[in-house]
Every structure is written in structure tokens, then in C-alpha cells.
Amino acid sequence: LPGAAEWVRTLHAEGWRQAIASSAPRENVEVMHQALGFDGLIDTLVAAEDVSRGKPDPEVFLEAARRLGVPPAKCIVVEDAEAGIEAARRGGMPSVGVAGAGRESASVAVASLADLPSDTFDHLVQE
């Protein structure tokens, strides 16, 4: 997604713990992680093999929160699919809906992560 790599680097520099939590197979997640150059920026990867239920069940996001040692309410899910926004809601996590996802139900909705205001993440964890 446009703007995603920049946000990952910015949030890492600011000390945010980050995970990739995907319903995709681990091999796909690892390939994308490497292709995007996220080594050292992402703290944990959660893939389909790590959970028993897929989105919209929140299990993949709750497992990521557990691995990060962060309460779900202090985790922010960034999603481009309705099922992911619903999973975040069910898990008690604020969400950023991208490219039309969660237009009605996401905490914040943007057309592109490149359009996300710089204080969005701080604002969402303070609510």
C-alpha cells in the first residue's frame, strides 16, 4: 500500500512495536517482509499457521498483541479489507481502514496511508 513502508520506518524510529498479522501463509508473509526491507523494523510475524480462525475473528491480531506484550486496546490495526476491520473491532483494537476498507466502521479511514495525518497513531492510542 502506498505510504505503508514509510509509516513502518517512521513508527519504528519513534519506538513503536510492530507486527505483521496476516491470514496469509507464513511463506507469503516472510517473502513480503523481506521484499519490503522490513528486517529489524517488525518485531513479530503472525501468519495463518499461528491461528485456528481467520478474519473476521480477531485471533490473528490478539496473537500479535500477545507476542508484542501490548494490551489489545493499545494496538492499532491497519487494514485494507472489511474482514480485518471487523476483526480489529471484535478484538477491541482501534483501526485504520485503507482504500475504502472500514469506511463506516474503522476508527479512521483514508484513501491512502500517504494521506494519514502524522498524529493519527498517537491519537488512537490515547482514546
Side-chain angles (χ1 to χ4, degrees):
L1 295 171
E6 293 81 0
W7 271 110
V8 166
R9 287 177 178 83
T10 297
L11 292 170
H12 175 76
E14 292 177 2
W16 288 74
R17 298 187 44 79
Q18 299 180 83
I20 294 176
S22 175
S23 295
R26 174 165 301 286
E27 186 175 350
N28 294 16
V29 175
E30 290 174 350
V31 165
M32 290 308 300
H33 179 261
Q34 290 177 351
L36 293 168
F38 286 171
D39 287 336
L41 302 176
I42 301 294
D43 299 288
T44 192
L45 303 175
V46 182
E49 295 86 345
D50 300 315
V51 297
S52 59
R53 295 175 304 277
K55 300 171 193 172
D57 188 281
E59 185 180 15
V60 70
F61 295 141
L62 294 173
E63 177 61 17
R66 184 191 69 75
R67 290 182 184 187
L68 291 172
V70 178
K74 295 295 183 184
C75 293
I76 301 164
V77 172
V78 177
E79 260 292 342
D80 65 346
E82 282 295 329
I85 295 297
E86 178 60 17
R89 186 192 67 73
R90 290 182 187 182
M93 301 174 174
S95 61
V96 176
V98 183
R103 204 173 292 264
E104 301 294 322
S105 55
S107 306
V108 174
V110 292
S112 166
L113 289 174
D115 301 331
L116 199 62
S118 62
D119 64 346
T120 300
F121 290 95
D122 289 325
H123 176 73
L124 287 173
V125 295
Q126 291 173 3
E127 288 184 351

